[in-house]
């Protein structure tokens, strides 16, 4: 709200989204992914509805944009356990025993956004999008439940870690010490990574022609 660039009339916001879709460069993809989850919180909700309709209209004439978004989702590689160390997948930086949970959540959030865009679903929260995709028979009930379970576990892990940081007056971050997890949490984390790999495989198949 303090940035004049984002305090603009509807016509300018339409231009923003049109430009991001037409360019489809990394920075434009990032801006689109951040701002497409907009929703009305006060004022005239029809402004948000009109902007979303504009976005879908522009996407209809530029379907290749979804391919760029799909490729972005596949950049995250679930961490692998190698000789007692965890490699932080999305950052590409080796951090012994540490996992960036925000990075791990990104492919789930992006998966729900990508298919919501393709199907014209208006919900903006990841869990609402997953529910709507299941109702539209885009996801099976089991796939929805497994993806929701992965999202819930990773989000809980992130928030519990940040709560612990607050208790000890440490700066908040998204890094979790993998070695401190109990057996059950480690099992749930591995299951979450398996589900991330599954949804990435589906994206590759549906959008990029992968096997």
């Amino acid at each position: 709200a303090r940035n004049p660039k984002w305090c603009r009339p509807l016509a300018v916001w339409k231009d923003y989204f049109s430009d991001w879709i037409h360019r489809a460069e990394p920075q434009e993809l990032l801006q689109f992914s951040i701002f497409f989850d907009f929703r009305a919180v006060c004022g005239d909700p029809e402004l948000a509805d009109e902007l979303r309709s504009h976005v879908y209209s522009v996407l209809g004439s530029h379907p290749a944009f979804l391919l760029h978004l799909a490729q972005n989702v596949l950049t995250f590689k679930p961490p692998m356990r190698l000789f007692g160390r965890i490699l932080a997948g999305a950052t590409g930086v080796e951090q012994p025993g540490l996992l960036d949970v925000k990075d791990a959540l990104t492919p789930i959030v992006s998966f729900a956004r990508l298919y919501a865009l393709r199907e014209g679903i208006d919900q903006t929260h990841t869990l609402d999008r997953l529910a709507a995709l299941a109702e539209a028979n885009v996801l099976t009930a089991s796939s929805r439940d497994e993806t929701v379970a992965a999202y819930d576990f990773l989000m809980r892990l992130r928030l519990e870690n940040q709560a612990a940081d607050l208790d000890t007056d440490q700066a908040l971050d998204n890094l979790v010490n993998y070695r401190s997890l109990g057996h059950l949490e480690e099992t749930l984390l591995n299951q979450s990574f398996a589900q991330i790999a599954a949804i990435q495989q589906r994206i590759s198949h549906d959008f990029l022609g992968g096997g």
Side-chain angles (χ1 to χ4, degrees), residues 30-179:
L30 176 62
Q31 299 282 39
F32 181 95
S33 296
I34 292 171
F35 286 107
F36 179 68
D37 292 344
F38 66 84
R39 63 186 184 277
V41 293
C42 67
D44 185 356
E46 291 185 3
L47 294 173
D49 294 340
E50 185 175 343
L51 180 57
R52 198 173 304 278
S53 295
H54 171 77
V55 172
Y56 283 128
S57 176
V58 178
L59 283 173
S61 58
H62 292 80
F65 181 78
L66 294 183
L67 304 185
H68 293 291
L69 279 183
Q71 290 171 331
N72 252 18
V73 184
L74 302 183
T75 59
F76 174 82
K77 302 301 180 185
M80 299 176 62
R81 192 168 192 172
L82 297 176
F83 309 111
R85 298 193 305 171
I86 299 300
L87 306 185
T91 63
V93 178
E94 292 189 13
Q95 303 180 74
L98 295 182
L99 166 69
D100 189 324
V101 185
K102 184 178 180 181
D103 281 347
L105 279 162
T106 297
I108 300 176
V109 173
S110 299
F111 168 80
R113 181 187 298 119
L114 177 64
Y115 282 85
L117 277 168
R118 191 187 73 173
E119 301 299 321
I121 289 171
D122 290 340
Q123 279 85 349
T124 58
H125 191 282
T126 297
L127 296 182
D128 292 337
R129 283 171 169 165
L130 292 172
L133 289 169
E135 290 175 5
N137 294 318
V138 177
L139 291 180
T140 63
S142 61
S143 179
R144 174 202 60 203
D145 292 345
E146 289 165 0
T147 307
V148 168
Y151 177 91
D152 284 345
F153 172 73
L154 291 169
M155 185 63 75
R156 179 172 62 82
L157 195 62
R158 179 187 183 192
L159 294 177
E160 287 179 349
N161 178 69
Q162 292 182 343
D165 286 342
L166 283 174
D167 287 340
T168 54
D169 295 323
Q170 297 183 56
L172 299 186
D173 59 34
N174 298 296
L175 299 177
V176 170
N177 187 337
Y178 187 93
R179 294 169 178 163

